[in-house]
Amino acid sequence: MKKFVITLIAILLIQIPSFAFEDCIISSRAKMSNIKIEYNDIIDVYPIVTLMNEKNILIVHPLKEGKTRFIVTKGKKDTAFFNVTIKANETVIEHAEGFEVYKIDAPPTGEEPEFNLDEPPILNERI
């Protein structure tokens, strides 16, 4: 009976779909601070601190599907609102003026990349 129950649970767990959420990068020319997220259980937003302590890059890390928004203070006074929709295979961030949004985990297009590898070096032996 135990083997039957364990086998049944294993079959049910195999059928659970897995999701691959896309992380995004938001960059700006001005320093970004004071990040406030509406629903912390959907996304996580944190700044990347560079060597020059610029803090002008944010990483948006999805945790589960849903809709949320977050607010960032740009520079000293400007406030920017970002609406975020997390889907199973896509992260959609509405663009705000003065910011650039890049996707980190872009899914493959199915086409082979066009690049050539260098030939390995040839060892010349003298006799």
Side-chain angles (χ1 to χ4, degrees), residues 56-123:
N56 60 354
I57 300 172
L58 297 176
I59 292 198
V60 178
H61 179 70
L63 303 173
K64 69 177 191 178
E65 288 187 76
K67 290 185 178 183
T68 186
R69 72 178 103 183
F70 66 94
I71 301 169
V72 175
T73 304
K74 177 182 172 185
K76 297 192 183 215
K77 296 181 182 178
D78 297 332
T79 303
F81 296 89
F82 292 93
N83 292 322
V84 181
T85 304
I86 308 296
K87 299 178 183 175
N89 298 323
E90 182 179 29
T91 300
V92 179
I93 300 176
E94 292 182 14
H95 295 278
E97 190 174 331
F99 294 91
E100 296 177 11
V101 178
Y102 303 101
K103 294 185 179 185
I104 297 176
D105 301 324
T109 60
E111 299 175 5
E112 299 263 343
E114 295 185 21
F115 60 88
N116 296 321
L117 296 176
D118 294 336
E119 294 291 325
I122 299 172
L123 180 63

